[in-house]
Amino acid sequence: MSSFEPRQVDEVTWEIPASARSDMRVPARILADAELLGAIREDRSLEQLVNVATLPGIAEAALAMPDIHQGYGFPVGGVAATELPDGVVSPGGVGYDINCGVRLLAAPIAASELAARREALAHEISRAVPAGAGRGGSLNLRGPRLDRVLEEGAAALVRGHGLGTEDDLERTESGGCLAGADPQKVSARARERGGPQLGTLGSGNHFLEIQRVERVLDRLGAEAYGLEEGQVTFLIHSGSRGLGHQVCTDYVRRMDAALGRFGIELPDRQLSCAPISAPEGRDYLAAMAAAANFAWANRQAIAHRIREAIARVLGGDVAERTKQVYDVAHNVAKVEVHAGRRVCVHRKGATRAFPPGSTEIPADYADAGQPVFVPGSMGTASFVLAGRDGSMAKTFGTACHGAGRSLSRTAARKQIGGAELRRDLEARGIAVRAPSNRGLAEEAPLAYKDVDRVVAVAARAGIAAPVARLVPIGVVKG
Amino acid sequence: MYRWVEHTGELELEIEGEGPEEVLAEAATALRELLGAGGAPTGPATRRIVTAQAPDRPALLAAFIEELVFLAESESLVPIGLRRVELDEGLARAEVEVARADPPHLVKAVTYHRLEFEPAEHGYRARVVLDV
């Protein structure tokens, strides 16, 4: 239970003042309603957020999205912007799964038309996309071919391997490629871990879902995104696999060793960091960009395999007309300009949510705002949101990324068995493919907060507005 | 002796041992439980020399566990026993019995969050949080 007592600022904003602990440089600010705040106070989330508020160069406040939960170093659902040139960049503020993110595809078919082919589609997707631990990707790129992925991201697969379309790139955050990536800053071990894993889903909370658009909540937004009620969508949740994990590991260690040289004292070693202007900071940003590009390529490869599976089950025409709605990162650090200041925005379990009119989003979405995807837990609803002006004023252009865990994996397993959960989901018309019942139970819906409540807080805060509610009809678990 | 502690998002491991070498041995046993949960090994036991380097004792524990995690991720080898552990200034060297298995729940990384490996009343106490 947290010892911090946040004071209420408005109906969905709470604040721990900078005076609450002597090493805080800025306040800690939380977007939540009273019920979510109660859950947030049950673990170390607020203590971790206060620790983030001590980072050198942090601007405005350490911010928590409504889906915040305890992580390591930074809380999951945490946002920190540090001012250039001498504010710090912290690898732990991005996390090990660099550019973990979500891609949504929209198919030109209604769920009612799938009928008996729903099971076949889930089965075919589970065969096409390697899931679970370790290796198994069909690309297995090394040397210069891997370098090209690290430099160019999703475009390397679209243009170099024919996996996807230019339209996919247009509808991806940053075009699927972060500038400044340098493969030379990625270690040999990171390459060894990641190379064979390109095009694989991974384990833990990663998953693919076949969904139905249950309800359109904003007609104009849904039209812009090409979504309508009853339509089938495919949601991909994965990241940079072992390559990103190793990049983070390498730079947490390197910066930890250099803290004394920079005169930085931290309340938690996992917050290890370096000035953005220092060689350690610059090298990390170059390696992180390479890992982020690998993640976009990974989701590009997965999307291509899904389209191939769709072609086999529903026909080539349906596959060809299955369009990408968007692809967003929710673990990344990006240099952006906010209120005239150049800042490095760390989003750890948080999604960029730029409003209508932003030049950073596809022209087709200029009036609607940037799509933001908020997957619920496996078996519950997910949301498509649109970025709103409030995000620029309050959260450095950021919104939430999911429901947020409320139970540990062990506690989830104690409450429900994997086999029982599988039966429950199937009884509700959700086809399930999962490599292990244990992993299935750990990601049970009861382990997560109420995604509807999280989205409602984001909307009330004015940072993002709901566009559509999606419900699962098939789950392929990592 | 080791135990898994409740953590909302990740896995937290607490270890106690009479000496620092025993703490590393217990860490290997915990990894065996975690990575070997997919079932019995599918191949014969072999031996590997695992070495880790770090600037201080807590970081050395993290580096040692990382090496075991890397063996599991890169070669599907899980630890089934520890033959010998040597600890020196900033260096750990262990002869580890490993066997091929189907690790179900791979660890993404070994974090520095709340990392500890310190002398305690009856030996040594350590804590490490794993990102899963």
Side-chain angles (χ1 to χ4, degrees), chain A residues 286-324:
Chain A
M288 184 215 67
N293 292 345
F294 184 87
W296 272 313
N298 190 41
R299 292 196 290 276
Q300 186 68 40
I302 291 170
H304 181 73
R305 299 295 174 224
I306 288 176
R307 283 182 172 132
E308 288 182 333
I310 293 169
R312 287 193 288 277
V313 178
L314 303 175
D317 176 60
V318 174
E320 196 173 316
R321 291 191 293 125
T322 295
K323 300 294 184 192
Q324 183 160 314

Side-chain angles (χ1 to χ4, degrees), chain A residues 253 268 270 408-409 442, chain B residues 6 9 66 105 112-114:
Chain A
R253 274 39 172 174
D268 183 344
Q270 185 62 27
S408 71
R409 289 169 167 83
E442 289 176 354
Chain B
E6 287 294 293
E66 272 168 24
H105 201 144
Y112 274 14
H113 178 52
R114 303 175 73 231

Side-chain angles (χ1 to χ4, degrees), chain A residues 43-44 48 70-73 96 133 135 189 193 197 245 249 253 268-270 405 407-410 442, chain B residues 6-10 37 56 59 62 66-67 70 73-74 103 105-106 108-114 131-132:
Chain A
D43 62 21
R44 288 198 172 85
Q48 292 180 343
Q70 178 185 352
Y72 44 85
Y96 288 94
R135 302 173 170 221
R189 176 168 284 192
R193 287 181 71 176
Q197 296 177 336
H245 307 163
T249 293
R253 274 39 172 174
D268 183 344
R269 285 180 82 171
Q270 185 62 27
R405 286 195 80 94
L407 287 183
S408 71
R409 289 169 167 83
T410 313
E442 289 176 354
Chain B
E6 287 294 293
H7 186 293
T8 315
E10 313 301 344
D56 53 61
E66 272 168 24
E67 293 304 314
F70 180 66
E73 181 170 314
S74 59
H105 201 144
L106 281 199
K108 290 178 188 170
V110 184
T111 80
Y112 274 14
H113 178 52
R114 303 175 73 231
D131 181 14
V132 294

Side-chain angles (χ1 to χ4, degrees), chain A residues 23-300:
Chain A
D23 55 351
M24 289 174 75
R25 295 170 190 266
V26 291
R29 206 167 285 150
I30 307 112
L31 297 182
D33 63 12
E35 185 167 329
L36 285 173
L37 186 70
I40 290 164
R41 294 192 67 210
E42 288 296 315
D43 62 21
R44 288 198 172 85
S45 302
L46 295 183
E47 178 189 329
Q48 292 180 343
L49 191 67
V50 165
N51 290 345
V52 171
T54 71
L55 288 176
I58 187 168
E60 187 70 24
L63 299 164
M65 298 298 105
D67 53 332
I68 182 180
H69 66 81
Q70 178 185 352
Y72 44 85
F74 270 59
V76 178
V79 180
T82 51
E83 285 205 66
L84 271 61
D86 295 325
V88 297
V89 61
S90 173
V94 172
Y96 288 94
D97 199 357
I98 295 167
N99 190 4
C100 184
V102 180
R103 179 174 293 215
L104 188 73
L105 309 176
I109 186 170
S112 56
E113 298 172 70
L114 275 184
R117 292 177 295 177
R118 179 178 57 90
E119 279 279 353
L121 190 56
H123 179 67
E124 200 60 31
I125 289 172
S126 72
R127 288 182 58 213
V129 182
R135 302 173 170 221
S138 58
L139 289 161
N140 198 3
L141 302 183
R142 294 176 188 279
R145 297 170 78 206
L146 180 57
D147 281 352
R148 187 174 173 193
V149 166
L150 299 179
E151 287 170 349
E152 299 178 14
L157 296 193
V158 171
R159 294 166 192 160
H161 298 259
L163 306 185
T165 67
E166 292 290 328
D167 191 51
D168 295 343
L169 302 179
E170 170 66 20
R171 292 168 185 248
T172 299
E173 180 177 334
S174 300
C177 178
L178 269 193
D182 184 352
Q184 300 308 311
K185 304 301 181 191
V186 175
S187 69
R189 176 168 284 192
R191 291 159 172 276
E192 187 180 349
R193 287 181 71 176
Q197 296 177 336
L198 188 59
T200 65
L201 188 60
S203 54
N205 64 350
H206 292 158
F207 63 89
L208 306 173
E209 261 186 9
I210 310 171
Q211 306 167 317
R212 171 172 61 85
V213 180
E214 182 202 53
R215 206 173 341 138
V216 163
L217 303 160
D218 170 13
R219 188 176 55 79
L220 292 178
E223 276 179 15
Y225 299 162
L227 296 172
E228 56 187 59
E229 284 183 5
Q231 185 177 10
V232 172
T233 58
F234 299 86
L235 185 142
I236 301 165
H237 179 211
S238 188
S240 52
R241 310 288 284 108
L243 188 137
H245 307 163
Q246 191 63 41
V247 165
C248 184
T249 293
D250 293 341
Y251 283 90
V252 167
R253 274 39 172 174
R254 184 174 163 191
M255 291 183 184
D256 177 74
L259 285 174
R261 185 155 53 82
F262 299 123
I264 296 174
E265 289 185 20
L266 297 168
D268 183 344
R269 285 180 82 171
Q270 185 62 27
L271 294 175
S272 78
C273 56
I276 296 162
S277 55
E280 289 85 353
R282 291 197 303 269
D283 288 355
Y284 170 68
L285 284 174
M288 184 215 67
N293 292 345
F294 184 87
W296 272 313
N298 190 41
R299 292 196 290 276
Q300 186 68 40

Side-chain angles (χ1 to χ4, degrees), chain A residues 7 64 115 151 245 257 268 299 308 330 366-367 375 383 385 396 399 401 411 416 419-420 447:
Chain A
R7 67 180 176 84
E151 287 170 349
H245 307 163
D268 183 344
R299 292 196 290 276
E308 288 182 333
H330 55 226
D367 293 336
F383 281 85
L385 311 182
F396 294 98
H401 89 307
I416 191 163
E420 181 188 356

